[in-house]
Amino acid sequence: IRAASQVKISQTVSDYIAQVLENSRASKFEGAQPLSTRAGMALVRAAKAWAFLEGRDFVRHEDVQSLIVPVFGHRLGGAFGIKKGREWAQQLLLNTPV
């Protein structure tokens, strides 16, 4: 955990994550809760761990993109369930260009 936390994340990748969070707040997902800052922090931790496991000391946009659906799916779904949450997370992924 300590080694993965040392993985670097660039400002452009951080900005991308912030844009995904903002897009969730501006989305029209009926009944979904917008993603919080804490959700973004969870995505950063997951992306750092992913990069570490891949043998890198930096996070790429692709790392973040590959984790948006699994990390945010359950957060967005809430009472609607993980299936609906994953659909909404996929829409966020498609609607947030790098």
Side-chain angles (χ1 to χ4, degrees):
I1 293 171
R2 187 173 298 137
S5 70
Q6 299 302 311
V7 171
K8 296 168 190 66
I9 185 164
S10 70
Q11 186 63 49
T12 58
V13 174
S14 294
D15 290 345
Y16 176 74
I17 293 170
Q19 187 60 54
V20 172
L21 296 176
E22 185 59 34
N23 287 353
S24 81
R25 295 174 187 133
S27 70
K28 304 221 187 314
F29 302 143
E30 179 117 6
Q33 294 294 318
L35 295 170
S36 67
T37 302
R38 194 163 35 162
M41 292 167 53
L43 182 59
V44 168
R45 283 191 304 276
K48 285 183 171 191
W50 184 276
F52 176 77
L53 292 172
E54 291 289 315
R56 285 181 277 106
D57 66 348
F58 62 94
V59 174
R60 301 181 313 190
H61 284 95
E62 293 86 357
D63 300 328
V64 173
Q65 290 175 317
S66 66
L67 293 167
I68 286 175
V69 173
V71 172
F72 290 162
H74 77 283
R75 291 175 182 271
L76 285 169
F80 296 96
I82 195 163
K83 183 177 179 184
K84 190 64 170 174
R86 287 182 178 205
E87 288 174 21
W88 287 334
Q90 185 66 38
Q91 288 177 26
L92 275 178
L93 176 62
L94 295 174
N95 293 325
T96 309
V98 177

